[in-house]
Amino acid sequence: MKRILTYGTFDLLHYGHIRLLQRAKALGDYLIVALSTDEFNEIKGKKAYHNYETRKKMLEAVRYVDLVIPEENWEQKINDVKEYHVDVVVMGSDWAGSDRFDYLKDYCEVVYLDRTEGVSTTKIKKDLGLQEPKNDINQIPTPSK
Ligand code: C2G
């Protein structure tokens, strides 16, 4: 049983995430996703649209995912690899060579898969106009009824 582990926020689950999970699972038999908690997202400087529980439920519904665990800090990865007997850590190529992952090569294989071009959670939010509203000082306040 070859065990694969990947990390991420997986907010507004999209085709780029699904392709990553699909290719990661194809490298082995069991795929674990360490999902960034809302608190860790704050540390990462990310504000997810869906909270952790919702993002977890969505990932658990993906056929390639066998287990979802919380990602609470940058430091837990070696422990995760040992605790879950991980053979391969997989990340998208935007993480290639990162000191957040390359050191894991002393404990398991580390594979970076090409990122899917043209889609991202940030792009979806922007295209849907979900970006945080800017304080438009010129906005004329609507008169209260
Ligand atoms: N991804 C991808 N193609 C995209 C978008 C994302 O392959 N178009 C991959 C990313 O490279 C990552 C995974 O999908 O491997 C999850 O992406 P994010 O949720 O953006 O993850 P990130 O915020 O990079 O969190 O400790 C590591 C962090 O938790 C990784």
Side-chain angles (χ1 to χ4, degrees):
M1 160 95 76
K2 195 167 181 186
R3 301 163 69 87
I4 316 290
L5 171 63
T6 191
Y7 292 81
T9 300
F10 294 96
D11 190 29
L12 297 179
L13 207 56
H14 57 65
Y15 182 58
H17 294 140
I18 299 298
R19 276 194 75 241
L20 186 283
L21 296 169
Q22 183 178 26
R23 288 174 293 155
K25 180 61 174 285
L27 294 174
D29 309 288
Y30 191 87
L31 175 60
I32 302 162
V33 178
L35 180 63
S36 308
T37 59
D38 298 326
E39 297 74 15
F40 183 49
N41 271 332
E42 239 175 277
I43 295 170
K44 293 199 308 188
K46 277 194 159 184
K47 175 99 181 69
Y49 180 83
H50 290 303
N51 67 23
Y52 176 79
E53 280 313 314
T54 301
R55 290 182 285 118
K56 181 170 188 278
K57 285 192 187 101
M58 290 174 77
L59 279 175
E60 287 171 336
V62 175
R63 66 169 57 195
Y64 309 113
V65 177
D66 296 289
L67 176 67
V68 179
I69 62 173
E71 179 190 28
E72 297 169 298
N73 55 63
W74 292 112
E75 297 76 28
Q76 69 182 70
K77 297 186 178 72
I78 293 173
N79 188 58
D80 291 342
V81 169
K82 290 178 179 170
E83 186 177 339
Y84 293 94
H85 310 290
V86 168
D87 299 291
V88 190
V89 165
V90 174
M91 290 301 289
S93 51
D94 45 319
W95 289 94
S98 161
D99 57 8
R100 296 287 191 194
F101 287 93
D102 262 15
Y103 71 96
L104 293 171
K105 288 176 178 169
D106 295 338
Y107 303 90
C108 63
E109 220 187 312
V110 178
V111 171
Y112 300 108
L113 300 173
D114 284 351
R115 196 181 157 85
T116 303
E117 292 309 317
V119 62
S120 71
T121 305
T122 309
K123 186 177 183 317
I124 291 169
K125 283 182 180 175
K126 188 167 150 293
D127 292 354
L128 295 178
L130 294 178
Q131 292 294 24
E132 299 299 309
K134 289 192 178 44
N135 298 332
D136 180 351
I137 48 170
N138 304 317
Q139 199 162 2
I140 302 154
T142 44
S144 54
K145 299 265 182 301

